[in-house]
Amino acid sequence: MPIKHIYSFEEGNANEKDLLGGKGANLAEMTRLGFPVPQGFTISTKTCLLFYEEGKKFPHGLAEELTEAVKNLEEKTGKKFGDQENPLLVSVRSGAKISMPGMMDTVLNLGLNDRTVEVLAKKSGNPRFAYDAYRRFVQMFGDVVLDIDHHNFESVITAKKAEKGVQNDTDLTVEDWQDVVSQFKLIVKNETGVDFPEEPREQLEKAITAVFNSWQIPRAVKYREIHNIPHDLGTAVNVQTMVFGNLGDTSGTGVCFTRNPMNGKKNIFGDFLINAQGEDVVAGIRTPREITELEDEMPEIYKTLEETCEKLENHYREMQDIEFTIEDGNFYMLQTRSGKRTAHAAVKIAVDMMHEGLISKEEAVMRVEPKCLDQLLHPTLDPNEKKDVIAKGVPASPGAACGKVVFTADDAVKHNEVGQKVILVRHETSPEDIHGMHVSEGILTACGGKASHAAVVARGMGTPCVSGATEIVVNPKAGKFTVGETVINEGDVITLDGSTGEVILGTCSTIDAKLSDELLELLEWADEFGELTVRTNADTPRDASKAREFGAQGIGLCRTEHMFFGDDRINIVREMILAKSTEEREKALEKLLPMQRQDFEEIFEVMDGLPVTIRLLDPPLHEFLPEKNSDIEEFANVFNLTFEQAKDRVKSMEEVNPMLGYRGVRILVTCPEILKMQGRAIIEAALAVQKKGIKVLPEIMIPLVGRKKEFDISKEGLEEVIAEVFAETGEKVNYKIGTMIELPRACMVAHKIAEKADFFSFGTNDLTQMSFGYSRDDVARFLPQYIELGILENDPFEILDQEGVGPLIETAVKKGRGVKSDLKISVCGEHGGDPSSVEFFQKNNFDVISCSPFRVPLARVAAAQATIMLKK
Ligand code: PEP
Ligand code: MG
């Protein structure tokens, strides 16, 4: 059967977006429902794809169908292309399945020529309007279809206005526009070598071709890349009878939302203009008026508009963004689509619509894009303010922050102590900077991606962070950083937008966030559906209690190394690392024990009644040693060493590939006294809080296990010390001992590791790092290019690579549960807070996902959506 290319608006419906594009499907739907839609037809997205297949030519059968479609339209409207009595004028617009506002091309007033413009002038009784419409058509056609630089046309208008000594287009007369049209036509002739096409049919074919071509123009391609829209959808072309909003004071045009897209309130929100065409409202040539003023201006029309909005919402059960035109007192609908909105509005609208009986609870939960919830929890930049953006990096931790630039963690602390707000700017951060990061309003790094140290820690703290801003050159010695010619000195104020990655010069005002009643309600509904338990990654009581406030059901990862950096303990940690004998090390550990115990007690107290997974020491030890000469000097003093000796000691700990080196379980099994100190601290803390009537559920986790024996030895060591503590105190507490699965090898031998493990928690950060062989802290150097070249679709440290890393996880789950069917399985890498990855974890029957505190609400919604989607 031959392919059908064209569908009249009567033939389609809202479910045919794949075929008719969003705009076409909705025009058909509105026609079907009896809304006043100017008649027309849609050329399908499939035809667009065929157009490309055939080397950018009209595919077989299209020309004939077009003749038929135009004939039908002429019959329905009683108008005719090129007619001397009643000429048919149409608009030609693009419309992909997913709306790409402003990305592709549009031609209005098509069908005008030297003859029909005269008819329009006579019929409208308004020659000035007719020639204005004509010049708009020639201008748009010249720009969009004939690819003539639009400045050519604009300079004619500017010169005309200068010649007549007027400011506005509206001050030009019919004669002026007639002259402008003649000049435009000359431009067309000069630029293309041929006359402007007078024949409507030729105009139409050329305009359709231009719209198809606009699917591939660079800005459209870029837009699809940014928004993850597939490139093989194609665009439909909508050909629709023109209605004119610029016929005089009884005409007009408007664009509005059925609810407020900023705050979600239920009132019509938008703009309109009397005596104007649609583009005038959008393009900002004239300042549009508040839609509510239309009520005074045209009360009947406003009533129709209100009724239309209500009907559309009831029908679509979704907030709509509509375009309408009033032609000489008659109301026409030109477009309806689901309206884009802020996160705040999205939540309010979903919850309100559920209460209004428009949608079910399940639909309300499905309506909110989990990622946008991030925006709701952090202060955000005031969108109405002008910004001086000097650089752009990876939006690593959302929210807005403003403060004075500092270059070291110590300086951050110093300024913070005197009440100053600071932004810590580093080439990259290391765990050593943690104290400075903690007190900073925001963190900016030149290096590192979304899973870099800075990014992970910042998200954990809920501190806005822009990482991998590769354009900036950080020079802490000179007390400055530069972006090209711009120099930013220590103490200068900058603002970071961690949601967009923008680095802005100076201050910007922010808007504070709090959990709205609607969000709390929506999260409760999400929990009714979600099967995955959402826990948090938290290392401090403050983060833990924040996460609890956001609904975390426990701690899935407490990274103990972050506890070792406080001023009161870093030197003891260094003493432990540099000890020459086990006895020396044990002495240092004895001093650390009460401090660790205290840390755990505080966290257990906050998490009363909920499980807490504590991971034993993980990073390479040299990360705890000083780097800068001034710090080495101080360190030499503390340890009674000469500067040279101290430097040698530090150097002796250096590794070529620290991430593949002496870290994690490798330290724990070779220095069992460290494992024992941590095990003792955890259990003593648990017993102490249990005594206070607090319900404590400790889970001890061993990092970086690759061989069964590593786990077994660690577990034995822990059990020994736990038995000791039980014997000493005469008290007991339930506990679990499990492992992280973060090495490819661990996945392959998971059945062996599972024999003695109580649980698995996938460290997908390391698992991604080790599978790809990409250092997570250096990946920003090539990641953007990799994405641009299409080698990677996205950042695998952010979105789980289901193709390569996924099967490792699947294998490990199968093997682990093969020997222990009730093995509890979690994820605590950054992917635990990414919606598409969450769906993967749900599919693989995980029990728990764990993420940074500020991502907990997002994860709750993502978990619910994953369950709902998989059930379908
Ligand atoms: C991981 O590797 O995914 C993980 C959670 O551990 P870390 O990020 O601390 O290496
Ligand atoms: Mg890890």
Side-chain angles (χ1 to χ4, degrees):
M1 218 174 80
I3 284 187
K4 181 169 161 67
H5 297 289
I6 300 185
Y7 297 78
S8 80
F9 291 168
E10 282 98 346
E11 284 177 289
N13 65 60
N15 299 323
E16 291 185 303
K17 291 201 175 77
D18 281 339
L19 184 70
L20 303 176
K23 189 190 287 263
N26 283 327
L27 283 168
E29 184 78 358
M30 287 195 291
T31 305
R32 202 170 66 79
L33 295 168
F35 284 99
V37 175
Q39 311 215 1
F41 55 84
T42 303
I43 308 174
S44 87
T45 55
K46 287 216 178 85
T47 304
C48 174
L49 300 179
L50 286 172
F51 169 85
Y52 281 102
E53 269 173 36
E54 310 219 344
K56 298 197 184 177
K57 285 203 196 75
F58 265 27
H60 181 73
L62 177 59
E64 293 77 11
E65 273 191 56
L66 193 58
T67 307
E68 195 59 26
V70 170
K71 204 170 116 218
N72 282 340
L73 192 57
E74 287 175 338
E75 274 165 18
K76 273 186 249 170
T77 57
K79 298 178 177 180
K80 246 179 138 91
F81 261 164
D83 197 65
Q84 296 299 309
E85 299 278 320
N86 207 0
L88 173 67
L89 303 178
V90 295
S91 64
V92 180
R93 295 175 208 253
S94 61
K97 177 185 173 185
I98 301 163
S99 111
M100 295 166 49
M103 290 302 127
M104 288 178 293
D105 289 334
T106 293
V107 180
L108 302 179
N109 307 343
L110 189 141
L112 280 176
N113 56 27
D114 290 347
R115 285 162 288 130
T116 51
V117 69
E118 280 300 322
V119 188
L120 187 64
K122 216 183 290 154
K123 272 181 73 95
S124 63
N126 188 341
R128 192 198 164 278
F129 146 76
Y131 276 91
D132 181 22
Y134 193 21
R135 72 88 194 171
R136 284 173 195 250
F137 170 51
V138 180
Q139 189 172 351
M140 259 190 183
F141 196 92
D143 172 14
V144 165
V145 181
L146 305 173
D147 209 17
I148 299 169
D149 188 341
H150 62 101
H151 290 114
N152 287 307
F153 300 111
E154 272 149 29
S155 52
V156 171
I157 300 181
T158 311
K160 191 65 169 178
K161 283 195 282 195
E163 178 196 322
K164 306 298 296 247
V166 297
Q167 290 280 317
N168 302 313
D169 290 6
T170 40
D171 297 327
L172 294 177
T173 63
V174 59
E175 289 79 17
D176 296 330
W177 286 130
Q178 280 167 339
D179 184 37
V180 165
V181 169
S182 311
Q183 292 193 50
F184 279 3
K185 288 193 163 181
L186 269 179
I187 293 172
V188 169
K189 177 94 196 210
N190 287 340
E191 293 288 318
T192 65
V194 286
D195 286 326
F196 184 82
E198 289 277 313
E199 270 316 302
R201 169 67 187 221
E202 186 188 347
Q203 294 172 353
L204 181 61
E205 285 192 13
K206 288 206 154 99
I208 292 168
T209 304
V211 172
F212 280 154
N213 277 326
S214 70
W215 177 251
Q216 291 294 17
I217 52 177
R219 68 165 187 267
V221 174
K222 188 82 206 160
Y223 185 91
R224 292 198 292 275
E225 275 165 15
I226 294 170
H227 292 88
N228 280 329
I229 300 173
H231 294 297
D232 60 358
L233 297 177
T235 180
V237 184
N238 298 293
V239 178
Q240 188 173 24
T241 320
M242 281 298 301
V243 280
F244 293 98
N246 50 347
L247 270 179
D249 287 345
T250 52
S251 300
T253 185
V255 176
C256 68
F257 293 82
T258 53
R259 299 187 190 214
N260 185 316
M262 300 296 285
N263 58 27
K265 288 200 178 133
K266 198 178 175 187
N267 50 264
I268 301 178
F269 175 97
D271 295 321
F272 80 103
L273 275 173
I274 294 290
N275 194 12
Q277 267 192 314
E279 56 178 16
D280 300 332
V281 179
V282 187
I285 300 165
R286 283 162 58 188
T287 311
R289 294 165 62 188
E290 232 342 273
I291 195 81
T292 43
E293 290 174 26
L294 185 64
E295 191 167 13
D296 306 326
E297 197 84 30
M298 297 180 179
E300 279 305 307
I301 293 283
Y302 190 75
K303 215 168 130 225
T304 310
L305 176 67
E306 277 186 321
E307 284 164 9
T308 305
C309 287
E310 173 117 20
K311 271 195 217 151
L312 283 171
E313 272 209 352
N314 286 338
H315 178 69
Y316 282 99
R317 305 181 310 122
E318 177 58 301
M319 185 260 257
Q320 298 293 298
D321 163 2
I322 68 171
E323 235 181 275
F324 63 89
T325 285
I326 308 149
E327 185 185 68
D328 201 14
N330 295 309
F331 179 86
Y332 292 98
M333 283 294 298
L334 295 189
Q335 165 148 306
T336 189
R337 61 182 170 197
S338 132
K340 298 217 184 306
R341 62 206 80 178
T342 63
H344 182 62
V347 171
K348 179 159 171 58
I349 291 170
V351 171
D352 284 355
M353 283 195 166
M354 146 71 198
H355 287 304
E356 288 161 27
L358 277 178
I359 58 174
S360 66
K361 254 188 207 178
E362 190 176 297
E363 283 173 301
V365 170
M366 290 304 289
R367 285 278 169 93
V368 176
E369 167 76 52
K371 272 199 177 143
C372 80
L373 294 179
D374 249 15
Q375 281 177 33
L376 296 182
L377 306 176
H378 299 270
T380 46
L381 283 186
D382 186 341
N384 298 320
E385 207 169 49
K386 260 192 140 170
K387 311 177 276 190
D388 182 4
V389 178
I390 51 167
K392 208 162 172 199
V394 177
S397 176
C402 174
K404 289 188 172 178
V405 168
V406 292
F407 294 102
T408 68
D410 290 341
D411 284 345
V413 172
K414 240 186 266 160
H415 284 85
N416 179 259
E417 277 168 359
V418 293
Q420 283 176 342
K421 293 188 168 179
V422 295
I423 305 279
L424 180 61
V425 181
R426 304 278 292 153
H427 183 65
E428 60 191 337
T429 62
S430 78
E432 214 182 331
D433 295 324
I434 199 93
H435 57 304
M437 296 172 78
H438 205 65
V439 298
S440 297
E441 298 299 306
I443 296 150
L444 168 64
T445 69
C447 205
K450 276 207 163 91
S452 64
H453 176 264
V456 172
V457 173
R459 275 201 292 278
M461 293 171 172
T463 303
C465 171
V466 174
S467 66
T470 44
E471 303 152 82
I472 73 165
V473 180
V474 186
N475 190 345
K477 271 206 191 113
K480 64 178 188 186
F481 79 85
T482 51
V483 193
E485 300 286 297
T486 314
V487 180
I488 291 92
N489 291 304
E490 186 165 344
D492 288 354
V493 173
I494 61 167
T495 300
L496 302 180
D497 188 339
S499 312
T500 61
E502 285 173 340
V503 182
I504 299 151
L505 205 56
T507 39
C508 293
S509 27
T510 56
I511 311 171
D512 243 0
K514 77 174 203 0
L515 293 193
S516 65
D517 292 344
E518 286 90 1
L519 179 56
L520 289 169
E521 196 167 5
L522 187 89
L523 290 171
E524 266 173 38
W525 299 345
D527 291 346
E528 287 173 26
F529 296 106
E531 283 171 358
L532 286 161
T533 302
V534 180
R535 291 202 202 170
T536 191
N537 295 354
D539 319 324
T540 63
R542 192 178 79 167
D543 288 353
S545 80
K546 191 89 219 153
R548 228 188 148 153
E549 198 183 296
F550 291 154
Q553 297 286 313
I555 291 183
L557 172 63
C558 172
R559 293 175 164 104
T560 48
E561 59 269 18
H562 292 161
M563 298 166 171
F564 285 179
F565 282 98
D567 276 349
D568 56 339
R569 52 188 87 176
I570 185 66
N571 281 325
I572 310 175
V573 173
R574 289 171 180 168
E575 196 180 317
M576 166 191 96
I577 294 169
L578 297 171
K580 289 213 193 83
S581 65
T582 308
E583 291 82 65
E584 257 188 54
R585 180 167 297 116
E586 277 172 344
K587 257 196 217 142
L589 286 166
E590 240 167 67
K591 287 188 236 171
L592 274 180
L593 174 68
M595 297 172 172
Q596 278 262 274
R597 192 170 49 220
Q598 180 69 25
D599 295 331
F600 298 138
E601 276 184 35
E602 286 172 14
I603 289 179
F604 287 146
E605 278 177 24
V606 172
M607 297 310 282
D608 184 5
L610 297 175
V612 176
T613 306
I614 296 170
R615 180 181 72 186
L616 304 188
L617 194 62
D618 181 45
L621 293 180
H622 80 89
E623 286 195 10
F624 298 99
L625 297 178
E627 260 180 48
K628 286 189 299 191
N629 281 349
S630 57
D631 290 341
I632 297 179
E633 225 161 275
E634 193 191 318
F635 163 76
N637 285 340
V638 173
F639 288 93
N640 272 332
L641 301 168
T642 66
F643 179 76
E644 285 312 317
Q645 282 171 326
K647 209 164 177 176
D648 284 350
R649 286 270 188 113
V650 171
K651 203 154 175 53
S652 71
M653 298 296 296
E654 262 175 24
E655 292 181 278
V656 176
N657 283 320
M659 275 294 151
L660 305 177
Y662 188 44
R663 58 173 285 217
V665 69
R666 300 156 205 169
I667 296 173
L668 301 171
V669 295
T670 53
C671 297
E673 49 289 356
I674 298 180
L675 169 124
K676 290 203 169 164
M677 181 281 284
Q678 290 202 290
R680 177 174 278 276
I682 294 167
I683 297 299
E684 286 183 354
L687 291 175
V689 296
Q690 188 171 259
K691 249 196 183 140
K692 293 188 203 167
I694 285 164
K695 186 151 187 245
V696 55
L697 300 157
E699 301 177 344
I700 305 175
M701 181 156 75
I702 314 291
L704 225 71
V705 167
R707 288 189 67 91
K708 172 181 164 54
K709 256 231 124 111
E710 288 176 316
F711 179 75
D712 292 353
I713 293 174
S714 313
K715 185 173 178 186
E716 272 163 36
L718 281 170
E719 281 172 339
E720 259 171 47
V721 76
I722 293 170
E724 271 170 41
V725 177
F726 286 174
E728 285 159 22
T729 55
E731 310 273 343
K732 280 197 171 168
V733 65
N734 284 330
Y735 64 89
K736 289 193 171 108
I737 300 177
T739 180
M740 294 199 67
I741 299 286
E742 48 187 344
L743 297 177
R745 189 182 200 284
C747 296
M748 304 318 285
V749 299
H751 53 300
K752 293 189 174 174
I753 298 173
E755 277 173 28
K756 296 207 172 154
D758 293 329
F759 61 87
F760 278 180
S761 183
F762 283 89
T764 46
N765 302 334
D766 267 309
L767 192 56
T768 300
Q769 167 166 265
M770 305 289 181
S771 303
F772 275 93
Y774 297 165
S775 155
R776 57 201 260 202
D777 292 306
D778 303 307
V779 73
R781 293 221 176 135
F782 60 90
L783 189 75
Q785 250 173 306
Y786 259 43
I787 292 176
E788 217 169 286
L789 291 168
I791 297 173
L792 290 173
E793 275 130 38
N794 38 48
D795 180 349
F797 289 100
E798 187 192 349
I799 296 178
L800 187 80
D801 166 44
Q802 295 189 24
E803 183 187 36
V805 181
L808 288 168
I809 298 176
E810 279 162 14
T811 303
V813 171
K814 266 194 210 112
K815 284 179 181 264
R817 291 239 171 97
V819 293
K820 215 176 247 178
S821 60
D822 60 348
L823 184 71
K824 197 172 61 67
I825 294 186
S826 336
V827 55
C828 60
E830 285 304 294
H831 306 87
D834 167 64
S836 70
S837 313
V838 167
E839 205 183 321
F840 172 86
F841 301 129
Q842 165 86 49
K843 234 188 260 168
N844 282 281
N845 298 313
F846 274 53
D847 301 294
V848 175
I849 51 177
S850 189
C851 57
S852 334
F854 282 88
R855 282 188 167 185
V856 167
L858 172 169
R860 288 164 72 188
V861 173
Q865 293 188 349
T867 312
I868 294 167
M869 255 156 3
L870 288 171
K871 282 212 172 114
K872 280 183 183 156

